Amino acid sequence: MNNIDLSLYLVTDNSDDEEKFLKTIEEAINGGVTVVQIREKTADTLDFYNLALKVKEITTKYNVPLIINDRVDVALAVDADGVHVGQSDMPCDITRELIGENKILGVSAATIDEAKKAEKDGADYIGTGAVFPTSTKDDAPSITKKDLKNIVDSINIPVVAIGGINIENANELKNTGISGLSVVSAIMSADNPKKASEKLLNIFNS
Amino acid sequence: MNNIDLSLYLVTDNSDDEEKFLKTIEEAINGGVTVVQIREKTADTLDFYNLALKVKEITTKYNVPLIINDRVDVALAVDADGVHVGQSDMPCDITRELIGENKILGVSAATIDEAKKAEKDGADYIGTGAVFPTSTKDDAPSITKKDLKNIVDSINIPVVAIGGINIENANELKNTGISGLSVVSAIMSADNPKKASEKLLNIFNS
Ligand code: NI
């Protein structure tokens, strides 16, 4: 099992304005983000590869792990720290074979069964949600705080909550046993990504 | 360098009707197709992976190489025979590192410079086109028969021609020095994929 500080887990969104995108990631890390996942569902492979190389320069500089969403090939090509797969991506056990034991493997799971299977198949952590309404992932299933706690209690690997988390609602996730908050727009769309990250991390740690 | 019989190189299209899709591939192989490349630009990774496993059962049965378009991760996951990358996909040299020396690596090249670079970067063969008008790849550059011959003459690895090739026009490619015909709809949309493949292979070999 690979250890990873999941406390404040940034998942990126649209990178069309690349300069702003990279600046936001750097500011977020300066504000306390502990993991960065890049998620690019529409980019050509070359674009995703090139973007991943640029993000990796930043994450390496600050010694923060870089996780690639879905694309094991991109993760291997840029030697990222890990991969995050959903239930429509490469199966967890096959992904583990492809990336080896030393890279981080995260899996999105919306049910206890999915979470248990991911743990059995080699996942290092689970991402689960959406815990709040969100427009980022249209297809994300919604779960209650009770569901979240039940998933946390059903497995021995850490769980991050995702979906609509922001500085207004993050404190509602206390006492669920999660190991971190995963956010997209609360940081990526913040006027001040550094401040937003500091506040979110404070809420999680308080 | 990996040797591969490129004479009749089938690139698949839409697999929505999976049963028909798989049947067409099998009939095409029975008609003489020497290589099968699956190309899925929109599928979820899991769908592409599952489809590739099914196609691999067929290509293995008939001992025909299976090439995966673009997705090195899918190629590695199903242990396909090779990968084909375009100029917007993973760079050729990085792809070679990821797949190792023993898997086939094809590269789409539309110019002599692209072809030479691909050869230098570890490609086993080049795909070039479009040699005829086509609606399959909207973004495919068009080349003349003279261009095609010049590309063939500029490199030492084999070249397959692609783009709008069918039983009416395939004979126009004689004397260009190509090592094979790459076709999509001339086989995938044929009423009789086996007969279409036989005819195309006859034209190429005559
Ligand atoms: Ni592409």
Side-chain angles (χ1 to χ4, degrees):
Chain A
M1 240 216 59
N2 299 293
N3 281 314
I4 172 174
D5 180 356
L6 298 162
S7 304
L8 186 55
Y9 186 127
L10 175 63
V11 179
T12 63
D13 58 3
N14 190 302
S15 62
D16 286 349
D17 184 345
E18 192 177 279
E19 200 183 331
K20 186 173 177 238
F21 178 85
L22 297 172
K23 193 160 171 279
T24 300
I25 292 172
E26 184 156 12
E27 287 179 16
I29 293 173
N30 283 322
V33 156
T34 60
V35 202
V36 175
Q37 178 193 129
I38 7 181
R39 179 181 162 87
E40 283 286 327
K41 283 300 183 191
T42 51
D44 276 342
T45 301
L46 183 62
D47 294 335
F48 196 176
Y49 168 75
N50 283 326
L51 186 73
L53 283 180
K54 287 174 191 166
V55 175
K56 201 197 167 193
E57 276 184 44
I58 302 171
T59 54
T60 300
K61 179 176 166 189
Y62 295 98
N63 201 24
V64 161
L66 172 65
I67 308 286
I68 305 292
N69 183 286
D70 180 11
R71 296 294 298 265
V72 175
D73 47 357
V74 174
L76 293 174
V78 306
D79 192 23
D81 300 280
V83 180
H84 186 96
V85 293
Q87 298 290 324
S88 307
D89 299 333
M90 192 71 76
C92 179
D93 51 349
I94 307 289
T95 304
R96 177 53 83 197
E97 281 177 35
L98 293 176
I99 65 175
E101 287 303 319
N102 295 325
K103 285 199 190 294
I104 299 159
L105 176 51
V107 175
S108 297
T111 65
I112 289 175
D113 284 351
E114 287 177 358
K116 283 185 169 172
K117 179 158 175 32
E119 180 178 31
K120 186 170 75 65
D121 287 349
D124 289 309
Y125 74 89
I126 295 296
T128 191
V131 288
F132 299 112
T134 169
S135 59
T136 310
K137 279 186 79 180
D138 295 337
D139 55 347
S142 285
I143 62 163
T144 65
K145 261 139 271 175
K146 183 89 167 57
D147 294 333
L148 177 60
K149 196 173 179 319
N150 287 340
I151 288 173
V152 171
D153 292 343
S154 71
I155 52 175
N156 294 308
I157 53 176
V159 174
V160 287
I162 189 163
I165 299 171
N166 56 44
I167 52 174
E168 272 77 45
N169 60 25
N171 65 320
E172 295 176 35
L173 299 172
K174 280 189 196 308
N175 307 318
T176 54
I178 55 170
S179 299
L181 305 173
S182 183
V183 301
V184 186
S185 52
I187 292 176
M188 295 305 291
S189 302
D191 289 332
N192 189 327
K194 181 167 183 274
K195 277 235 171 75
S197 302
E198 285 168 351
K199 281 183 192 168
L200 285 160
L201 190 60
N202 274 339
I203 297 169
F204 181 73
N205 285 332
S206 68
Chain B
M1 242 216 58
N2 299 292
N3 282 312
I4 172 173
D5 180 357
L6 298 161
S7 304
L8 187 55
Y9 186 125
L10 175 64
V11 179
T12 63
D13 58 4
N14 191 300
S15 62
D16 287 349
D17 184 346
E18 192 177 280
E19 200 182 332
K20 186 173 179 241
F21 177 85
L22 296 172
K23 192 160 173 278
T24 300
I25 292 172
E26 184 155 12
E27 287 178 16
I29 292 173
N30 283 322
V33 156
T34 59
V35 201
V36 175
Q37 177 192 130
I38 6 181
R39 179 181 161 89
E40 282 287 325
K41 283 301 181 189
T42 52
D44 278 340
T45 301
L46 183 61
D47 294 334
F48 195 176
Y49 167 75
N50 284 326
L51 186 73
L53 283 179
K54 287 174 191 165
V55 175
K56 201 195 168 193
E57 275 183 45
I58 302 171
T59 54
T60 301
K61 179 175 167 191
Y62 295 99
N63 201 24
V64 161
L66 172 65
I67 309 286
I68 304 292
N69 183 285
D70 183 9
R71 296 294 299 264
V72 175
D73 48 357
V74 174
L76 293 173
V78 307
D79 193 21
D81 300 279
V83 180
H84 186 97
V85 291
Q87 298 290 324
S88 308
D89 298 335
M90 192 71 76
C92 179
D93 51 348
I94 307 289
T95 304
R96 176 54 81 196
E97 282 177 34
L98 293 176
I99 65 176
E101 287 302 319
N102 296 326
K103 285 200 190 295
I104 299 159
L105 175 51
V107 174
S108 297
T111 64
I112 289 176
D113 283 352
E114 286 178 357
K116 283 184 169 172
K117 179 159 176 29
E119 180 178 32
K120 186 171 75 67
D121 287 350
D124 290 309
Y125 73 89
I126 296 296
T128 192
V131 289
F132 299 112
T134 167
S135 59
T136 310
K137 279 187 79 179
D138 294 337
D139 55 347
S142 284
I143 61 164
T144 65
K145 261 140 271 173
K146 184 85 167 57
D147 293 333
L148 177 59
K149 195 173 182 316
N150 287 341
I151 288 173
V152 170
D153 291 343
S154 72
I155 52 175
N156 294 308
I157 54 175
V159 173
V160 286
I162 189 163
I165 299 171
N166 57 44
I167 51 174
E168 271 78 43
N169 60 26
N171 64 319
E172 295 177 35
L173 299 172
K174 279 192 197 308
N175 306 319
T176 54
I178 55 171
S179 299
L181 304 174
S182 183
V183 300
V184 186
S185 53
I187 291 176
M188 295 306 291
S189 302
D191 290 332
N192 189 327
K194 181 165 182 275
K195 278 234 171 74
S197 302
E198 286 169 350
K199 280 183 192 170
L200 284 160
L201 191 60
N202 273 340
I203 296 169
F204 182 72
N205 285 332
S206 67

